[in-house]
Amino acid sequence: MSILRKIEHFREEEERLKWEGTFADYLNLLKEKPWIAQTAHSRVYNMIKDAGVEEANGKKEYQFFKDQLFGVNEALEKLVEEYFHSAAKRLDVRKRILLLMGPVSGGKSTLVTMLKRGLEQYSRTDKGAVYAIKGCPMHEDPLHLIPNHLRNEFYEEYGIKVEGNLSPLNMMRLEEEYSGRIEDVIVERIFFSEDKRTGIGTFSPSDPKSQDIADLTGSIDFSTIAEYGSESDPRAYRFDGELNKANRGMMEFQEMLKCDEKFLWHLLSLTQEGNFKAGRFALISADELIVAHTNESEYRSFIANKKNEALHSRIIVMKVPYNLKVSEEERIYQKMIQESDLSHVHIAPHALKVAAIFTILTRLQQPKKQGIDLLKKMRLYDGENVEGFNSQDVEELKQEYPDEGMSGIDPRYVINRISSAIIRKQLTSINALDVLRSIKEGLNEHASITKEDRERYMDFIAVARKEYDTIAKKEVQKAFVYSYDESAKTLMDNYLDNVEAYCNQNKLRDPLTGEEMTPDEKLMRSIEEQIGISENAKKAFREEILIRISAYARKGKKFDYNSHERLREAIQKKLFADLKDIVKITTSTKTPDESQLKKINEVIARLVDEHGYNSVSANELLRYVGSLLNR
């Protein structure tokens, strides 16, 4: 479908979704679809819930945030359940400003933007439909038309609570345009749009001396006073402040704590009572979610100021810390690169992982638990198996430092350093060493890093480099071992024959001489030691292999090289250890002979075809691993 056809299709869909009728028609619609009368907080919660919720190990993962926010599932679960869910049930937390607090580039703005864009889309669905009094600049809830003395009876008939009073403008319109007949008031379906200032508003503080409170609450239109005769005539007032326009939806209060105090006073009444004062009118009802965001230092300064005490109790603070999982940090970098003009540059496998290892280490606090260092903690947080530790240990580690993740290197810094390396050196391919080198160079230019932190971060770069050395060796190991596939299978078959004889206390027969031999303990241990199987654990490991072979046989399956992950790893490592001399020669010889050149080309082809490298990064990897092995 061409772009013009898609635009036309969108326009047709907009027309199809439009609805207009009298208040009497709207009440009939409520009978069929009572959910359309939901509050702003309820709409946000249902929007998130309707996108899908997955549960695993007692934790909830919300699909709404899935492709944009990574590694902050716990913070999101707390936000959705403790704030949005409770507010949707009309509990007292809906009378609070939601303040997202976290470090720079931690995802606060992304989260708010997702809520705003989500509401725009959700208001176009059946479950998220929003209806308002037609012609009202505040998109007022039609149910405000129901007189206070009839609201209990309305609740008994419809099961819907009505909160808030009719605005001064609609009160006048009801009398003058509809002669007090509320059943004739025209109601229409509206669609949230930040661009059109419908149901979504954004307020950003500027110079306190020049910014006007009218930006929040609207102002008198002096050009109409001669026509209407009074400043207290609602027709002479422009209901175009952000609080007016965000009614029924949400308002983002950017850098709220930098605001002048007089701007925050209006929030006291709005949060607690659901209304605010504007001009010479009675209190104006508003139903909206107010979301603000700030960093920790600004929040500490705010609560230290006694003048702000009234607002303290009207704020719910939700921490949005940095992600602490290496795999999720990689996804953040991938997303940021895809959104940039760097998407054409080849980034070698593991380059982003190594950067993520460094970044996560800067965010972690030194564990107090015995037997765990930062690297082990990092692996446990990322869901890896660390011998001797389990999920209970992970929970205990998280409880040691409640503020963990509120400091450290931010994702933007890493992406900036990758960009710097690419642009400065005009690279079309970048590897892990390029990334680490650029990060290291940038630390000296980072104004907000203290000398003590810089020294600590240099150590983390060294740790990340060692991790990459291990990864690089494994990568080349796999590529070389695959090139010696038959050797790997032969070695495994030989090992299995010996294990079977060992477990069944049998002898082996030499295929050439026919004489009986005892199982080759030296061969078995040389393989098992590759994956850390101790002398005491060897019997259990061998029996486990034999049980796995029997299980495969019962199901009519053949036990092969890929049937046991740890055994495959041990065979690969053993074969690679035996091949090290060949690898050294083939990767470090400046003028390889024909057989060596063939082997190098086979390995490069495998790295390119199956491991995600291009020819440049594959050659760089081989040269680097060759240098490591020759040290």
Side-chain angles (χ1 to χ4, degrees):
M1 193 186 291
S2 72
I3 191 67
L4 291 175
R5 181 70 191 95
K6 285 180 179 177
I7 291 169
E8 186 184 345
H9 178 73
F10 179 78
R11 195 163 53 240
E12 290 168 357
E13 184 66 11
E14 288 274 283
E15 286 299 316
R16 187 187 67 78
L17 291 175
K18 282 182 180 176
W19 183 94
E20 189 175 300
T22 64
F23 183 65
D25 298 329
Y26 175 68
L27 290 182
N28 290 330
L29 195 62
L30 272 183
K31 287 277 189 183
E32 298 171 33
K33 304 174 181 180
W35 62 82
I36 62 178
Q38 61 189 321
T39 63
H41 289 83
S42 175
R43 190 173 291 107
V44 173
Y45 173 69
N46 287 326
M47 170 187 73
I48 295 169
K49 186 167 64 74
D50 289 348
V53 185
E54 289 183 4
E55 284 199 51
N57 302 319
K59 304 284 185 183
K60 292 183 179 179
E61 185 176 331
Y62 299 94
Q63 303 305 295
F64 180 83
F65 304 104
K66 193 174 183 181
D67 297 324
Q68 294 292 322
L69 292 170
F70 308 108
V72 287
N73 287 346
E74 290 179 14
L76 290 174
E77 183 177 356
K78 186 177 181 183
L79 170 66
V80 174
E81 292 303 316
E82 292 187 17
Y83 183 77
F84 288 127
H85 192 184
S86 301
K89 298 290 185 187
R90 295 178 187 264
L91 294 174
D92 218 42
V93 294
R94 72 193 173 101
K95 298 176 179 179
R96 307 285 182 272
I97 297 166
L98 174 61
L99 180 64
L100 303 176
M101 182 180 71
V104 294
S105 192
K108 303 184 298 294
S109 298
T110 302
L111 198 161
V112 176
T113 301
M114 287 187 74
L115 292 175
K116 291 197 286 190
R117 297 295 83 80
L119 277 174
E120 288 177 344
Q121 294 299 317
Y122 195 58
S123 68
R124 285 165 172 75
T125 66
D126 188 50
K127 287 191 174 180
V130 189
Y131 295 82
I133 296 172
K134 187 175 182 181
C136 174
M138 286 183 59
H139 341 293
E140 189 164 8
D141 187 347
L143 295 183
H144 286 182
L145 290 162
I146 296 173
N148 284 311
H149 67 277
L150 293 177
R151 290 184 178 181
N152 287 337
E153 293 176 39
F154 178 79
Y155 176 71
E156 289 172 9
E157 185 177 347
Y158 286 82
I160 297 168
K161 288 182 180 177
V162 181
E163 295 178 349
N165 298 312
L166 203 58
S167 67
L169 179 62
N170 285 323
M171 201 175 289
M172 175 176 279
R173 290 179 63 209
L174 176 62
E175 295 302 323
E176 295 196 357
E177 293 178 32
Y178 300 102
S179 303
R181 292 176 57 84
I182 65 170
E183 63 270 31
D184 294 338
V185 173
I186 301 298
V187 175
E188 65 176 350
R189 182 173 179 179
I190 61 168
F191 305 104
F192 287 164
S193 168
E194 185 173 20
D195 292 339
K196 295 177 181 177
R197 301 187 74 211
T198 305
I200 296 174
T202 303
F203 181 80
S204 183
S206 58
D207 183 0
K209 294 176 182 177
S210 60
Q211 189 156 33
D212 191 348
I213 198 69
D215 295 344
L216 271 182
T217 61
S219 61
I220 296 166
D221 184 351
F222 290 100
S223 65
T224 62
I225 292 176
E227 181 183 351
Y228 299 119
S230 170
E231 290 183 15
S232 59
D233 189 308
R235 292 170 299 181
Y237 196 85
R238 290 195 301 246
F239 294 88
D240 59 357
E242 293 304 319
L243 292 179
N244 305 108
K245 293 299 182 181
N247 187 34
R248 311 295 301 285
M250 67 173 282
M251 188 188 83
E252 178 188 6
F253 211 127
Q254 295 178 347
E255 303 298 341
M256 186 183 87
L257 304 187
K258 289 178 179 169
C259 242
D260 190 71
E261 289 172 19
K262 65 179 180 180
F263 285 91
L264 302 181
W265 293 336
H266 283 274
L267 302 181
L268 296 176
S269 174
L270 179 60
T271 51
Q272 194 61 41
E273 309 298 335
N275 51 46
F276 63 92
K277 191 80 172 72
R280 300 176 181 179
F281 307 115
L283 290 168
I284 296 173
S285 297
D287 171 30
E288 57 197 83
L289 160 68
I290 298 177
V291 185
H293 39 92
T294 188
N295 59 49
E296 195 168 6
S297 59
E298 279 183 354
Y299 178 69
R300 299 292 171 213
S301 300
F302 174 76
I303 59 173
N305 187 347
K306 295 293 182 184
K307 289 182 180 179
N308 298 321
E309 281 184 345
L311 204 56
H312 293 178
S313 61
R314 290 171 171 85
I315 290 177
I316 283 192
V317 179
M318 287 288 171
K319 290 181 181 177
V320 183
Y322 283 135
N323 155 60
L324 296 176
K325 295 180 180 179
V326 170
S327 55
E328 295 295 296
E329 191 72 10
E330 272 190 272
R331 293 180 69 193
I332 293 171
Y333 300 155
Q334 285 163 0
K335 171 179 168 260
M336 292 173 85
I337 287 167
Q338 284 166 7
E339 291 171 351
S340 72
D341 292 333
L342 303 177
S343 53
H344 67 285
V345 176
H346 171 75
I347 297 176
H350 312 298
L352 298 183
K353 179 175 183 176
V354 171
I357 288 170
F358 162 74
T359 309
I360 298 302
L361 287 173
T362 68
R363 298 172 185 170
L364 294 177
Q365 301 282 349
Q366 195 67 41
K368 299 173 185 175
K369 197 176 180 70
Q370 281 192 331
I372 294 186
D373 57 17
L374 272 182
L375 264 179
K376 283 182 181 176
K377 183 178 185 177
M378 179 191 78
R379 292 195 173 103
L380 284 168
Y381 274 15
D382 205 31
E384 290 184 40
N385 290 321
V386 176
E387 193 174 349
F389 300 98
N390 54 35
S391 57
Q392 182 61 39
D393 294 305
V394 177
E395 292 306 313
E396 288 177 15
L397 284 170
K398 287 177 180 176
Q399 288 167 15
E400 284 182 353
Y401 299 99
D403 284 341
E404 192 169 48
M406 297 297 281
S407 62
I409 293 290
D410 64 281
R412 284 197 197 115
Y413 172 77
V414 174
I415 295 301
N416 289 346
R417 296 314 304 164
I418 292 173
S419 307
S420 175
I422 291 167
I423 293 163
R424 190 173 68 249
K425 299 180 181 178
Q426 298 296 304
L427 299 175
T428 56
S429 175
I430 193 166
N431 61 36
L433 295 178
D434 295 322
V435 172
L436 284 180
R437 200 177 297 116
S438 186
I439 288 172
K440 185 177 180 180
E441 289 168 1
L443 290 178
N444 292 322
E445 302 163 15
H446 203 302
S448 63
I449 295 178
T450 63
K451 184 181 177 182
E452 184 183 5
D453 280 342
R454 190 175 290 112
E455 289 173 2
R456 198 163 54 92
Y457 292 172
M458 287 293 189
D459 292 339
F460 292 149
I461 288 175
V463 172
R465 170 76 178 267
K466 283 181 184 176
E467 288 293 295
Y468 176 63
D469 290 352
T470 305
I471 292 167
K473 286 178 193 172
K474 280 183 180 177
E475 199 85 314
V476 173
Q477 168 192 313
K478 284 178 188 175
F480 262 90
V481 167
Y482 277 124
S483 299
Y484 288 88
D485 209 29
E486 287 304 314
S487 304
K489 287 176 182 173
T490 303
L491 183 59
M492 191 191 78
D493 289 341
N494 198 359
Y495 173 77
L496 293 177
D497 288 342
N498 280 276
V499 163
E500 194 170 357
Y502 170 85
C503 290
N504 295 328
Q505 297 182 348
N506 293 334
K507 299 267 187 181
L508 286 167
R509 193 170 295 279
D510 190 300
L512 294 176
T513 64
E515 65 178 286
E516 288 189 335
M517 304 178 300
T518 55
D520 190 341
E521 184 66 23
K522 188 177 178 182
L523 169 75
M524 289 187 286
R525 290 301 295 140
S526 71
I527 291 169
E528 291 157 358
E529 284 169 352
Q530 300 294 329
I531 51 171
I533 302 295
S534 66
E535 186 71 25
N536 293 334
K538 69 181 183 182
K539 187 171 184 291
F541 181 73
R542 293 168 188 176
E543 287 171 349
E544 180 198 324
I545 297 289
L546 210 59
I547 291 167
R548 181 76 65 90
I549 293 170
S550 301
Y552 268 65
R554 282 199 306 275
K555 294 175 182 176
K557 294 180 181 178
K558 185 177 183 297
F559 186 90
D560 62 20
Y561 183 60
N562 294 308
S563 300
H564 193 286
E565 192 175 330
R566 293 194 74 204
L567 178 58
R568 184 179 73 233
E569 183 189 348
I571 295 289
Q572 285 180 349
K573 283 186 173 179
K574 168 63 178 164
L575 197 57
F576 187 65
D578 295 343
L579 289 170
K580 261 186 185 177
D581 289 338
I582 298 171
V583 177
K584 283 181 188 179
I585 294 166
T586 54
T587 55
S588 60
T589 304
K590 290 182 180 178
T591 54
D593 61 32
E594 191 176 334
S595 65
Q596 290 168 348
L597 192 61
K598 184 184 176 187
K599 185 57 62 184
I600 288 172
N601 289 336
E602 282 179 13
V603 172
I604 286 174
R606 190 167 293 279
L607 287 169
V608 171
D609 295 341
E610 297 182 18
H611 295 267
Y613 292 83
N614 66 3
S615 58
V616 174
S617 58
N619 273 292
E620 288 173 344
L621 177 72
L622 279 181
R623 282 197 298 273
Y624 181 63
V625 171
S627 72
L628 288 176
L629 295 175
N630 281 311
R631 285 176 188 171

